Amino acid sequence: MSRATSRAASANGRLSFEVALQPREAWHACLLYLLEDGEQRFHAPHDCVGEGRRSRYSLTTTEWLKTVVKIETSNEEFYRLFRQALEDMAALRLPIRGTGHTIFLPAAGLPWFVAPFGRDSLIVSLQNVLVYPEFARGALEILGSLQAKDDDPYRDAEPGKILHELRYGELAHFKLIPHTPYYGTADATPLYLITLHAAWRATGDKALLERHLPTAEGCLAWIDKYGDRDGDGFQEYQTRSSAGYENMGWKDSGDAVMYPDGSLVKGPKALCELQGYVYNAWVRMAEAFDALGKPDRAKDLRAKAASLFERFNEAFWDEELGFYVYALDGNKNKVLTVASNAGHCLWCGIVPRARAKRVVDRLMDGLGHSHAVRRSSGIQSIQLPDRLGVAARQRHHCHGLQILRLWRGGGAGRARRERGGEPFPAQSAAGALHRGRTHREQFPGSVYRGERTPSVGGRLRLHADPGSLGISTGCAAQ
C-alpha cells in the first residue's frame, strides 16, 4: 500500500481500512501489485491514479487518438458519442509484441474477454476499418499466424481454420482446456477473408493482399473441405471435442439454437448467416484475385457464389413465414424459428432485393425499443439465452452488422416512420447499444467498476457506401 492515511488490516484475503472523514475531506490509497505470467513479471505503475493524465496508458492513448479518423460537427451529441467510442476502443487495444505499441489487435471485451478472439477481433476490424484500419492489419497478422495447420479434434482444429479464442494460464498450460488456441467457430474463417478484402479497399494497399494470400488460400480450402461437412454445398458445424462448444456461431451459448417449440437443435447445424458469410467472402475474394492478376480464380469464385445464392434462397426461404429459417438441422429439415440471424444475410448481400424489405419488416416488428432489432420473434414464445454476458456481445454483433444493411431493404425509412419522421438521435442510438443489464448484474463480484460492459461489437460504427462518397471502385477510402 502507498499514500494511505490509515493503516490496512489484512484478514481472510481482504484489506480493511478504518476511515474517518470530516465534511469535504477525502481519503485515498494506492494499491501496489505484481502480476506474474510464467517467468514474466509486471510491476504496478509508479503513477497514482489521481495523476492518471501522466500515466503511461494515458500518454499512449493520447498518441493513439492522434492516428484515428477525426470528425468535426456542430452536433455536440454526436461528437461526444464518437469521442467516447474512440476512448472505449482504446481500452480494448492489445499491443502486438515487437511493434512498439503501434499495431494492435482488438480484444473482445472487458473484463473476461481480454484475449484474442477470431470472430470478435475481425468484426470490430470491419466496423472500424474507416476509422482505424490498423486494427484490421493487426487482426489479419495475428489470426493468420495462428491459422490451424493440423487436424486436432480436441481443439476442433482443421487445416486452414481461423481460431475462436486463445487463452493462457495454468489450465491452458496443462491442456486442461482446448483454448491453446481453440478453433470452435464456424464463422471466423470466412470473416477473415471479408476483413482482408475490406482492409485492402479501405487502404488501397495491394501488398496487404499479397502478404496474406497464403492464409486466404488456406481459408478458402477450409470452407470447401471442412466447412461443408457433408458435401451438400452449405456450411455446417459440429464439435468433435469432449470440451467443445455445442454452437459455433455468434450465438454460441449451448441452448442458443432452438426449434419453435423450445427444444434444442442437436447435431450438425447449417446456420443461415454462415451461408451469407461464405457468399460474401467468395464475392470479395473474386475481386481481390482480379487485382492480383488471377482471373481464373476470380471466375471460379464468382461461379460458386452465384450457385450458392440460388441454392440458399431455395433451401432457406420459407414462404409461409415470409422469412429465412434460422438453420437447417442435421436431417436438412428447416428450423422454423424466426431469429435475427437473417439480418446478417442482408449485410452479406445474399438476400434478393425483392425479399429484402420483407426481411427488414419482420426484423423490426414488435420492437421493445425504437432503435433495437429483436433477436427472436415477438410472436413466438421461446426466449434465447441472456446470461454470462453473452447476450450483450450477441446484441452488439447482431445490431452492428444488420444496421449496415437494413437501409438497403427500406429499413431506414421504416425506422424514421416509427419515430414520426425524426432521424435517430445520437444519444438514443448509443442507448440502444448499451441497454443491457449493468456489468454488476451480469458479473456479480467482478472487479470491473464500469456501469456497462465494454464490448468491441458495441462501439460506434462508421459505414459509407463508396458510391455515395464519390469514391470510384479500386480507390482507397480517404
Side-chain angles (χ1 to χ4, degrees), residues 39-96:
E39 297 180 355
Q40 291 184 302
R41 293 189 174 189
F42 303 91
H43 292 271
H46 297 292
D47 299 303
C48 174
V49 68
E51 303 167 351
R53 292 185 178 181
R54 291 185 288 176
S55 68
R56 183 181 177 220
Y57 171 79
S58 180
L59 293 175
T60 58
T61 299
T62 299
E63 290 301 311
W64 180 75
L65 289 172
K66 294 178 181 178
T67 69
V68 301
V69 166
K70 312 297 188 300
I71 290 181
E72 293 183 4
T73 172
S74 58
N75 187 325
E76 182 65 19
E77 253 189 8
F78 184 83
Y79 170 78
R80 285 188 282 110
L81 171 65
F82 182 68
R83 176 72 183 195
Q84 185 61 59
L86 292 177
E87 292 179 359
D88 288 347
M89 283 307 310
L92 293 166
R93 294 170 300 152
L94 290 178
I96 296 175

Side-chain angles (χ1 to χ4, degrees), residues 8-284:
S10 177
N12 299 321
R14 295 184 178 185
L15 293 175
S16 301
F17 299 86
E18 288 189 9
V19 179
L21 295 177
Q22 296 297 321
R24 299 184 181 277
E25 283 188 337
W27 180 89
H28 178 82
C30 293
L31 175 64
L32 305 179
Y33 55 86
L34 176 67
L35 300 178
E36 295 185 352
D37 182 9
E39 297 180 355
Q40 291 184 302
R41 293 189 174 189
F42 303 91
H43 292 271
H46 297 292
D47 299 303
C48 174
V49 68
E51 303 167 351
R53 292 185 178 181
R54 291 185 288 176
S55 68
R56 183 181 177 220
Y57 171 79
S58 180
L59 293 175
T60 58
T61 299
T62 299
E63 290 301 311
W64 180 75
L65 289 172
K66 294 178 181 178
T67 69
V68 301
V69 166
K70 312 297 188 300
I71 290 181
E72 293 183 4
T73 172
S74 58
N75 187 325
E76 182 65 19
E77 253 189 8
F78 184 83
Y79 170 78
R80 285 188 282 110
L81 171 65
F82 182 68
R83 176 72 183 195
Q84 185 61 59
L86 292 177
E87 292 179 359
D88 288 347
M89 283 307 310
L92 293 166
R93 294 170 300 152
L94 290 178
I96 296 175
R97 186 176 300 171
T99 65
H101 280 66
T102 58
I103 300 180
F104 302 91
L105 175 76
L110 293 172
W112 287 357
F113 303 109
V114 185
F117 275 72
R119 176 192 310 117
D120 301 61
S121 297
L122 291 167
I123 286 178
V124 75
S125 297
L126 284 167
Q127 293 168 339
N128 285 272
V129 74
L130 294 182
V131 176
Y132 186 67
E134 296 306 309
F135 271 149
R137 290 186 187 273
L140 293 169
E141 184 69 29
I142 295 302
L143 297 178
S145 69
L146 295 169
Q147 186 178 39
K149 300 295 189 292
D150 304 310
D151 190 301
D152 183 350
Y154 179 63
R155 296 187 299 145
D156 278 319
E158 295 144 343
K161 199 174 188 182
I162 298 300
L163 67 84
H164 171 63
E165 181 180 355
L166 174 63
R167 292 288 181 174
Y168 298 97
E170 293 182 6
L171 296 178
H173 176 78
F174 291 107
K175 305 295 190 294
L176 298 178
I177 58 174
H179 301 73
T180 59
Y182 178 55
Y183 291 86
T185 172
D187 50 15
T189 305
L191 285 171
Y192 185 96
L193 299 171
I194 293 171
T195 304
L196 175 59
H197 173 273
W200 162 58
R201 289 300 306 274
T203 64
D205 185 3
K206 186 178 175 182
L208 190 68
L209 290 179
E210 296 167 342
R211 177 178 178 81
H212 297 294
L213 183 59
T215 304
E217 291 283 17
C219 291
L220 290 168
W222 179 87
I223 288 171
D224 289 341
K225 185 175 182 180
Y226 298 101
D228 182 4
R229 297 174 59 86
D230 55 14
D232 68 342
F234 295 128
Q235 299 287 297
E236 304 93 6
Y237 65 79
Q238 183 176 30
T239 184
R240 300 181 298 155
S241 174
S242 59
Y245 294 168
E246 172 67 26
N247 290 306
M248 298 182 180
W250 61 272
K251 294 176 181 174
D252 57 4
S253 55
D255 53 359
V257 185
M258 301 179 180
Y259 293 104
D261 64 1
S263 60
L264 300 182
V265 180
K266 294 291 187 179
K269 307 174 188 70
L271 299 178
C272 62
E273 75 270 20
L274 295 182
Q275 322 315 317
Y277 293 161
V278 169
Y279 169 81
N280 193 263
W282 281 344
V283 170
R284 288 173 179 263

